Amino acid sequence: MRRVGVTARDATRATTARAIDISQASAPGCGRPFLRTTCRDCDGTVTCTADTLDGSTPYAPVPPVIPVASCQDGCATARPPCISTDRDNAITRGSDGCLYAPGTPSLDPSPCNAARNTTGGLLVPRIDLTGLAPGGNSGVERSVDIDVTGAPGCPERWEIGARLMPVSAFLNAERQHADLLARTGSDVPVPESDIVLPEAGVYHIDSDVRYALGSATGGSGYIIGWLRDETTDTLLTSFTQIAAINAARQEQQGGTTHIMTEYAVASGPRTVRLHLMFVLTGGKISDAEAGGTDSNGAPRMRFLNVRD
């Protein structure tokens, strides 16, 4: 008979321990217990593992797996596992000492429900408010100012206010009086007519120009006016004829002429001013002026924000 020698390195040992698949623990209890057999050699190196339900039926647990000494007597364990207190940790320990993992939430199948189950987890809607700021506008057909104020926190709180009244203003420049004859052929700005467009938008601008034009012996000439954006040095209107005279003898005239336009600005504020000029074309003109010192003779300026 031949004797066979066995070295210590050839020997192996197997240990069986109880473990719990806590991914199954959506109801009270200890989840689903199973047996895990681990093979090690004499050096302690793991050579194989096998998971079964009863020692023979194969089982594939879903991580995380918590090893426990037993699951008897109300599932109280001798060495309870450490549970993170991080607010994002959904695993909790029950009063019975067992671990509980959250189940899949039940969602209303109504098409009006914006919450959805995805492979990455529960997806809920979020509203991002962009492109709006206090004093800004929203929409391409209507001019409604939207003010949005955010308050950080959990949950976030937002206050949204709407101003339905469009921006407008009226100016009566009673103290303005321009002697155009004394500056014949020159640009005569009228600072008293200044109006300020406060913010972005399209504005309707309307100006009333009161004038007087006359000749004692006969003569010809005309008064023109225009509106200019003083902030950007931009001409809003072409030269508009306020009045004209072509008299062979004495003639005196006066009245009111309107200068109107629509003006789009990308940002505010913008200052708009009335400019006037008298042009002599023949003979002698004795009176060419604009404005006055009373409410009936003063230039008037108006603006109205009509759309974005």
Side-chain angles (χ1 to χ4, degrees), residues 249-273:
R249 61 186 65 85
Q250 180 179 355
E251 181 177 328
Q252 187 71 30
Q253 57 178 267
T256 302
T257 300
H258 302 279
I259 302 177
M260 293 181 290
T261 188
E262 279 196 352
Y263 183 46
V265 298
S267 63
R270 300 285 187 86
T271 298
V272 175
R273 178 177 298 170

Side-chain angles (χ1 to χ4, degrees), residues 22-103:
I22 65 169
S23 65
Q24 303 292 329
S26 57
C30 266
R32 186 163 193 173
F34 64 96
L35 297 177
R36 171 164 288 178
T37 301
T38 304
C39 302
R40 294 180 175 87
D41 62 16
C42 292
D43 294 333
T45 303
V46 176
T47 58
C48 67
T49 57
D51 296 329
T52 61
L53 288 175
D54 51 11
S56 60
T57 304
Y59 178 66
V62 178
V65 173
I66 304 298
V68 295
S70 67
C71 191
Q72 307 298 324
D73 300 327
C75 297
T77 61
R79 293 182 300 168
C82 176
I83 301 297
S84 172
T85 58
D86 189 281
R87 60 182 297 178
D88 293 328
N89 183 19
I91 300 176
T92 59
R93 186 193 305 281
S95 58
D96 55 4
C98 293
L99 301 178
Y100 294 89

Side-chain angles (χ1 to χ4, degrees), residues 16-285:
T16 301
R18 181 178 293 272
I20 297 175
D21 181 354
I22 65 169
S23 65
Q24 303 292 329
S26 57
C30 266
R32 186 163 193 173
F34 64 96
L35 297 177
R36 171 164 288 178
T37 301
T38 304
C39 302
R40 294 180 175 87
D41 62 16
C42 292
D43 294 333
T45 303
V46 176
T47 58
C48 67
T49 57
D51 296 329
T52 61
L53 288 175
D54 51 11
S56 60
T57 304
Y59 178 66
V62 178
V65 173
I66 304 298
V68 295
S70 67
C71 191
Q72 307 298 324
D73 300 327
C75 297
T77 61
R79 293 182 300 168
C82 176
I83 301 297
S84 172
T85 58
D86 189 281
R87 60 182 297 178
D88 293 328
N89 183 19
I91 300 176
T92 59
R93 186 193 305 281
S95 58
D96 55 4
C98 293
L99 301 178
Y100 294 89
T104 302
S106 177
L107 297 182
D108 188 334
S110 170
C112 294
N113 185 10
R116 295 288 183 270
N117 269 325
T118 68
T119 55
L122 182 63
L123 182 66
V124 295
R126 174 182 174 85
I127 298 176
D128 290 325
L129 298 175
T130 59
L132 300 175
N137 294 326
S138 175
V140 296
E141 297 179 353
R142 301 176 179 86
S143 286
V144 177
D145 290 344
I146 304 296
D147 295 337
V148 179
T149 303
C154 184
E156 294 178 345
R157 299 179 65 88
W158 294 88
E159 294 182 359
I160 301 177
R163 182 177 62 189
L164 302 180
M165 182 179 297
V167 177
S168 62
F170 175 84
L171 174 65
N172 190 15
E174 294 186 8
R175 296 185 180 182
Q176 185 277 327
H177 181 82
D179 185 355
L180 304 179
L181 186 62
R183 301 178 61 181
T184 298
S186 298
D187 177 354
V188 180
V190 185
E192 295 84 358
S193 69
D194 287 1
I195 55 175
V196 178
L197 311 180
E199 58 195 29
V202 178
Y203 292 86
H204 174 80
I205 302 174
D206 183 6
S207 175
D208 293 340
V209 182
R210 183 75 173 174
Y211 69 90
L213 184 61
S215 173
T217 59
S220 61
Y222 57 88
I223 299 174
I224 58 176
W226 62 95
L227 298 175
R228 178 176 290 275
D229 183 336
E230 301 296 316
T231 305
T232 60
D233 195 23
T234 302
L235 187 67
L236 272 62
T237 62
S238 59
F239 301 132
T240 301
Q241 180 172 287
I242 305 298
I245 188 172
N246 187 9
R249 61 186 65 85
Q250 180 179 355
E251 181 177 328
Q252 187 71 30
Q253 57 178 267
T256 302
T257 300
H258 302 279
I259 302 177
M260 293 181 290
T261 188
E262 279 196 352
Y263 183 46
V265 298
S267 63
R270 300 285 187 86
T271 298
V272 175
R273 178 177 298 170
L274 172 67
H275 289 248
L276 299 170
M277 179 186 292
F278 170 67
V279 179
L280 179 66
T281 57
K284 183 177 181 181
I285 298 297

